[in-house]
Amino acid sequence: MELYNKAIKLANTPEHARWLSPLLLAVDAYTEIDWEAYMQQVSQYLDGERDYTLIKGGTGPLVYPAAHVYIYSLLYKVTDGGKNILLAQAIFAWLYLGILTIVMACYRMARAPPYLFLLLILSKRLHSIFLLRLFNDCFAVGFLFLAVYAYQHRIWTVGSVAYSFGVGTKMSLLLAGPAVGIILLQALPLRRALNAAFLMAQVQLTIAWPFIPRNPIGYSSRAFELSRQFLYKWTVNWRFLDEKTFLSREFAIALVSANLGFLGLFAATRWLKPSRQSIPEFLMDIWKPRPLLVQQQMSSRVTASFTMTAILTSMMVGLLCARSLHYQFYAYIAWSTPFLLWKSKMHPVGIYVVWAAQEWAWNVYPSTNASSAVVVACLFIQVLGVWWGTREAGVDTRAPPIDRSGQSHKHVQ
């Protein structure tokens, strides 16, 4: 029991995990994948190029939004044009610890049990993504959890700016968009929810502005390229399918349909619980001013746990239905899995078993039929599990029921 308590104390304190970073750097070596391409691309930006379609690197054209360019431009200047790899790794080590602190704070706000915290620091693949690969997903997932933390504390403006800046770093965060929208529409009066949406749009416009006058279509098509098709040889999740099926239009349509189906299922049965309405009722009432008491009661049901569950589930649904996941996408999964498995009401032993299986699968390189099947199976278990586990949750039972008669004559818009 004493050993267990010490382990939990270690996992609950990010500062105690700082020894993992230098240990990993000593055991494993930096591997060049995208860092040089990032540096080549931002060097062209720093030299004055503003046409997104003309910015290229060793791995191809620039395909990330403008916030990515600004972040790595700063890193370019700090690391002597990207040559000081050790300094870059040190920066990412501190970034890892900073985000880990935020993630643990989110878990605590959602009242997650202590035994989950150990899983937050043990992922070899996650350490590799941060310290040995220096991917931009590290910053994107940081903004995602910063948004979750702000929303949990009902700091809606900060959360919306953080989320939008994360989308501006890598568009993968768009996968959380449906949940973010539903949360805002229930937690805030319509006018404030729309203001939050406009604020997110303004953030995107602001960071894109240096590139818009030169080639606005080129920027939007490259920064948010939805038609890009990944190579079969790099896929981590659907390797167990043959290449013809993987590349087929029918498979792509099936995945999109599954994604929309899962989102519709969660929206209808889980994410609208604070409103206590069906989708048609919610859509019909959304434009009507709500009585102040009704709005307050609905907003009170958007709890810290509900917020985190909805956002992470939306991300996981998108990742489950993605055509191709690369190893860096594990950044969005590693810190979400323990929480979602706990929300599925799974036994702690089961949580550790699924986590270990998933961790094994993401550390197999190159991916195999077996490892990719485990990747997809673990994602499916989390999505289906959290849906089943929250069938009687999601609404704070301590909140009084909505008074449909609207006793208060004061309305909010």
Side-chain angles (χ1 to χ4, degrees), residues 191-204:
R191 183 175 297 175
R192 289 187 60 193
L194 291 177
N195 285 341
F198 290 145
L199 177 61
M200 294 184 213
Q202 288 173 338
V203 170
Q204 293 303 313

Side-chain angles (χ1 to χ4, degrees), residues 142-359:
F143 287 119
L144 175 66
F145 276 99
L146 180 60
V148 170
Y149 180 77
Y151 286 151
Q152 286 179 319
H153 285 79
R154 311 182 77 81
I155 311 175
W156 307 110
T157 299
V158 173
S160 298
V161 170
Y163 174 69
S164 186
F165 206 83
V167 172
T169 303
K170 193 164 186 177
M171 71 172 186
S172 302
L173 263 61
L174 286 173
L175 297 176
V180 170
I182 290 176
I183 288 169
L184 292 176
L185 286 171
Q186 294 179 102
L188 299 173
L190 178 60
R191 183 175 297 175
R192 289 187 60 193
L194 291 177
N195 285 341
F198 290 145
L199 177 61
M200 294 184 213
Q202 288 173 338
V203 170
Q204 293 303 313
L205 182 62
T206 300
I207 63 177
W209 188 252
F211 305 97
I212 290 178
R214 183 68 181 274
N215 189 347
I217 296 177
Y219 173 79
S220 59
S221 63
R222 283 288 172 80
F224 300 97
E225 187 178 1
L226 299 177
S227 61
R228 184 156 49 111
Q229 188 167 318
F230 294 107
L231 297 176
Y232 176 72
K233 68 177 181 178
W234 296 121
T235 184
V236 178
N237 52 336
W238 297 110
R239 171 73 64 183
F240 59 89
L241 299 177
D242 61 87
E243 187 170 4
K244 182 178 179 181
T245 301
F246 175 83
L247 297 174
S248 67
R249 185 170 180 269
E250 292 76 13
F251 182 57
I253 293 174
L255 289 175
V256 172
S257 300
N259 197 342
L260 295 176
F262 276 123
L263 291 176
L265 176 66
F266 275 97
T269 63
R270 298 295 182 267
W271 295 346
L272 288 180
K273 280 189 174 183
S275 71
R276 297 181 177 176
Q277 292 180 306
S278 65
I279 292 180
E281 291 173 335
F282 185 77
L283 293 177
M284 288 179 63
D285 289 352
I286 195 173
W287 303 107
K288 301 176 183 178
R290 295 189 179 99
L292 179 60
L293 180 61
V294 171
Q295 178 62 53
Q296 290 176 339
Q297 290 174 347
M298 182 170 62
S299 179
S300 70
R301 300 184 189 109
V302 182
T303 62
S305 181
F306 173 86
T307 297
M308 186 167 173
T309 303
I311 291 177
L312 296 188
T313 301
S314 187
M315 283 293 300
M316 207 61 63
V317 165
L319 294 171
L320 171 63
C321 300
R323 169 84 74 94
S324 182
L325 296 179
H326 292 180
Y327 288 97
Q328 57 265 41
F329 281 86
Y330 195 54
Y332 310 104
I333 297 173
W335 281 327
S336 302
T337 293
F339 181 79
L340 294 180
L341 291 177
W342 170 64
K343 294 298 291 186
S344 73
K345 302 295 191 295
M346 185 177 291
H347 189 277
V349 174
I351 293 175
Y352 272 71
V353 169
V354 174
W355 178 90
Q358 178 175 263
E359 179 70 16

Side-chain angles (χ1 to χ4, degrees), residues 72-85:
Y72 280 86
S73 293
L74 179 60
L75 291 172
Y76 180 92
K77 296 177 180 179
V78 172
T79 61
D80 189 23
K83 299 174 185 177
N84 194 337
I85 300 296

